[in-house]
Amino acid sequence: MLQQRPLRTAGQATRGVTGSCLVLVGGLGVSTLPPSSPLLRSGVLDVIRGAQAGRMSALVLVLVGLALLASAWLALCWHVALTGGEDRRDALDLVRFSAMVWCAPLVLAPPLFSRDGWSYAAQGMLARVGLSPYDHGPSALLDGRTATLPDPYRLQGGAPIVQAVDPMWADTPTPYGPLHVLLGEVGAGLTGNPWVLVVGHRLVALAGLVMLAWAVPRLAAWTGVDPALASALVLPSPLMMANGVGGLHNDLLMVGLMAVALVVGVERHWAWGAAVGALAAAVKLPGGLVCIGVALASLPAGVALVTRVRRLAAVAGLALAVLLGLGVVTGLGHGWVEALMVPGMITTPLSLTSLAGGVLDWAVALLGADLPPATFMRIARGLGLVAMGAVAVGVALRWPTGEREAAVAAVGMVAAAFVLLCPVVHLWYFLVLPPFLATLRLGRTAVSALIAVSVTLGMVAPLDSSLHGAYYAIVVACMTLAVLLPVLLLTRRARDRIDRIASSRWLVLQQSPPSR
């Protein structure tokens, strides 16, 4: 019982906070910062960042901090799995409290493991000064003197708002929806300080975490899964802490809105679900996939195909109207639709279709075939998009209707198809999966895999594109991970703990209540 283990729960909270603090301190040594930042004039930080040994030490500090967070999370999940009876409500409060205090040190951190947060700040400023971020990249904020400098010096020599933006995206429009840009524009109207704007964007991302804290227990109650354990698997996980909170990606706000859309669409009315689903798409387009689950759950069981198609069309029509209406009301327009191909400019190793196509291109090149570059990669990416659409259509037309648990599974299925088949996949794309997978009645092996993947994707966050070309850092990070990951996942004690969480007798509480 929770009352009998106060010291243990206090130790978990302290360990998690310590880990977050180490990530914050280490992140200051390895993250990209605007050259004009006052912190860089502090002396000590400048020395650490200017020396190879200092940067490598900071990187190890980040990894140790992430390991402490992962260890605290596993202990928290184990603790919740052992909690039964009336203490389950206290367990849910403990999970929410842990997520809150573990996030707190990261609120003031710079964008970690990616420069996207700095781009968010610049895109908001573009909208604030009357330049559409759907027509211009952050480089449009440069003055005439710095605009003529070669990359990356033109950004570093420009105004603070653009100094830390990744040169790769300096001239590209944003593919994000009008709600994301509007929030950035509001922030830019209050301050031009990029670090303050980054903190503002992180608070917006944390609003998504608050939405998940509200929605996940309700989704779990539909499916008969313990709300406390489902929340523990989602809210304070290493995947969430490293990529959603530390990495400062708008995927966290998107998935929070998706979870809320499914809940209100089922428990209130499908029109509310469609409207909130449109808001999720107005942050990032894949958020609109939740509308499939809203439509299916709002129908009676066993309806005719024509009735199903009508409801799907109604939900899609309302969501599209809200999405396009936001572009008109905000004055931002719909240029983000044309910019959706911007992320596809790069190749990421987590994209299965890009990886398969790249291997085929390499193989035919070895055989001496005279084909244009990336021929098979383009074909594989195209097939992946077709398969993604086929999965979405198949789920929409053939998945059971009138069942809340089936609706959660439907959203999980189409979200998984997106992550697995998308031409470009980053670590933070996986944030869309846990809220829907952790609330399903999964088997022991599947839950164990979810735990292992959450730990791994959180721990490897520093190895994302932010380290491209930094070979010493990559080697140091890999060597450190080779020590930490087995301790967290493969030792006998670790395997026993994960198995105990995955086989918790409190995982399935009761049958899901009938849909309205």
Side-chain angles (χ1 to χ4, degrees):
M1 297 176 68
L2 287 177
Q3 292 88 342
Q4 296 174 341
R5 296 195 291 266
L7 293 178
R8 181 175 298 174
T9 56
Q12 295 163 6
T14 302
R15 194 189 319 169
V17 171
T18 302
S20 292
C21 290
L22 292 180
V23 173
L24 167 62
V25 174
L28 294 174
V30 296
S31 298
T32 299
L33 303 178
S36 60
S37 174
L39 273 178
L40 295 180
R41 296 194 292 269
S42 64
V44 175
L45 187 59
D46 189 49
V47 171
I48 292 174
R49 294 171 61 88
Q52 184 85 323
R55 294 194 300 273
M56 297 306 100
S57 298
L59 177 59
V60 171
L61 197 65
V62 168
L63 291 169
V64 171
L66 290 174
L68 285 176
L69 275 169
S71 174
W73 176 66
L74 291 170
L76 175 65
C77 292
W78 179 74
H79 175 82
V80 172
L82 295 179
T83 302
E86 297 179 356
D87 286 333
R88 285 199 297 270
R89 176 63 192 180
D90 291 335
L92 178 57
D93 291 339
L94 175 63
V95 170
R96 289 168 169 170
F97 173 77
S98 299
M100 178 181 68
V101 297
W102 294 355
C103 286
L106 298 176
V107 170
L108 298 177
L112 301 173
F113 323 131
S114 166
R115 299 196 201 182
D116 282 6
W118 301 117
S119 293
Y120 296 169
Q123 290 157 5
M125 185 60 70
L126 280 170
R128 177 63 183 174
V129 300
L131 296 175
S132 172
Y134 302 140
D135 297 324
H136 303 276
S139 63
L141 297 171
L142 294 170
D143 58 33
R145 177 182 60 84
T146 54
T148 59
L149 294 174
D151 280 329
Y153 306 107
R154 60 177 182 151
L155 294 178
Q156 294 178 1
I161 193 67
V162 298
Q163 288 176 355
V165 172
D166 193 329
M168 180 183 298
W169 308 118
D171 302 308
T172 57
T174 179
Y176 305 128
L179 179 57
H180 166 83
V181 176
L182 175 64
L183 293 172
E185 182 181 0
V186 170
L190 300 175
T191 178
N193 187 308
W195 203 307
V196 176
L197 289 173
V198 161
V199 172
H201 278 283
R202 182 170 277 116
L203 293 175
V204 170
L206 288 177
L209 191 63
V210 172
M211 295 180 199
L212 289 175
W214 177 83
V216 167
R218 287 163 172 78
L219 297 177
W222 294 356
T223 62
V225 173
D226 176 18
L229 187 53
S231 297
L233 291 172
V234 176
L235 302 180
S237 73
L239 172 63
M240 184 67 69
M241 293 293 107
N243 295 289
V245 181
L248 177 55
H249 295 287
N250 57 13
D251 298 69
L252 179 49
L253 177 61
M254 177 195 76
V255 72
L257 288 167
M258 290 176 70
V260 170
L262 188 56
V263 172
V264 299
V266 173
E267 296 186 350
R268 298 291 185 269
H269 192 274
W270 64 262
W272 285 109
V276 179
L279 294 181
V283 175
K284 203 168 182 179
L285 187 60
L289 293 173
V290 72
C291 291
I292 294 176
V294 171
L296 295 177
S298 65
L299 287 166
V303 297
L305 179 61
V306 63
T307 305
R308 180 195 293 254
V309 172
R310 285 175 181 168
R311 177 57 55 83
L312 286 165
V315 171
L318 177 57
L320 189 61
V322 172
L323 181 58
L324 296 179
L326 277 173
V328 174
V329 170
T330 60
L332 294 169
H334 312 112
W336 58 275
V337 177
E338 298 179 7
L340 288 175
M341 299 306 294
V342 167
M345 295 170 56
I346 63 172
T347 302
T348 58
L350 292 176
S351 170
L352 297 181
T353 54
S354 295
L355 182 62
V359 170
L360 288 175
D361 283 322
W362 173 78
V364 297
L366 287 181
L367 296 175
D370 186 17
L371 293 175
T375 296
F376 285 100
M377 181 178 294
R378 286 192 294 270
I379 294 173
R381 284 180 163 188
L383 292 175
L385 291 174
V386 171
M388 191 191 312
V391 170
V393 171
V395 169
L397 297 182
R398 300 183 61 85
W399 213 261
T401 58
E403 300 177 13
R404 295 181 176 186
E405 184 172 3
V408 177
V411 178
M413 174 66 76
V414 295
F418 164 73
V419 173
L420 294 175
L421 299 173
C422 189
V424 176
V425 179
H426 294 284
L427 290 172
W428 49 90
Y429 285 23
F430 289 87
L431 290 170
V432 73
L433 297 179
F436 304 103
L437 297 183
T439 50
L440 293 174
R441 287 183 283 182
L442 303 175
R444 178 185 299 184
T445 302
V447 176
S448 298
L450 177 61
I451 293 170
V453 169
S454 295
V455 170
T456 303
L457 295 183
M459 288 294 298
V460 302
L463 283 174
D464 200 74
S465 57
S466 59
L467 289 185
H468 180 71
Y471 300 112
Y472 284 113
I474 293 173
V475 170
V476 169
C478 289
M479 292 175 62
T480 307
L481 289 170
V483 174
L484 296 176
L485 279 175
V487 173
L488 291 168
L489 297 175
L490 299 180
T491 63
R492 181 174 180 179
R493 181 182 179 185
R495 286 185 283 109
D496 288 344
R497 174 174 288 180
I498 293 172
D499 185 69
R500 183 66 184 88
I501 297 169
S503 60
S504 170
R505 64 192 182 95
W506 299 109
L507 191 59
V508 177
L509 299 179
Q510 59 185 5
Q511 292 296 318
S512 175
S515 298
R516 295 183 182 182

